[in-house]
Amino acid sequence: LRDDLMVRLRADAAIGPLGLDAEIERRRALHVARLQAYREIERRDFPADKSLPRETRIQHLILKTGIMYEESWVEWAAEVLQVLGETATP
């Protein structure tokens, strides 16, 4: 991925702590909010009833992709914050 945050995180690994915790936490919070919104849409628009029309099931699959993306970002951010919080080893 070519992303400014990834470049800064790589620099943190190479030269030492750059104080990225706040930015990671800020972005994590945005993804948590988006995930909550997507899950609410899923509850509202896609009942567990498997007899939904094909078009509706496809729309649900698209939403599920967004849910999976947000879940993975939230999990990744938690792991990054944990590692950033560790003391550097010699």
Side-chain angles (χ1 to χ4, degrees):
L1 285 174
R2 287 280 181 187
D3 179 282
D4 68 313
L5 181 61
M6 299 307 135
V7 171
R8 291 167 49 204
L9 195 55
R10 180 131 172 119
D12 184 286
I15 63 176
L18 298 175
L20 296 175
D21 305 65
E23 179 61 14
I24 299 285
E25 183 53 47
R26 184 187 74 77
R27 290 186 188 204
R28 188 196 71 77
L30 293 172
H31 288 279
V32 165
R34 195 171 300 136
L35 177 59
Q36 290 171 343
Y38 287 173
R39 286 182 174 156
E40 180 55 36
I41 293 168
E42 184 177 42
R43 278 190 290 278
R44 183 191 68 214
D45 295 349
F46 302 102
D49 181 5
K50 300 297 183 195
S51 64
L52 296 170
R54 178 181 181 272
E55 295 81 10
T56 304
R57 292 192 336 257
I58 290 171
Q59 291 171 347
H60 190 198
L61 289 170
I62 294 165
L63 179 63
K64 283 180 165 182
T65 299
I67 290 171
M68 289 185 295
Y69 174 78
E70 299 304 336
E71 287 173 337
S72 68
W73 216 101
V74 170
E75 290 174 21
W76 176 85
E79 187 174 351
V80 170
L81 288 168
Q82 179 182 352
V83 171
L84 289 177
E86 295 174 357
T87 306
T89 56

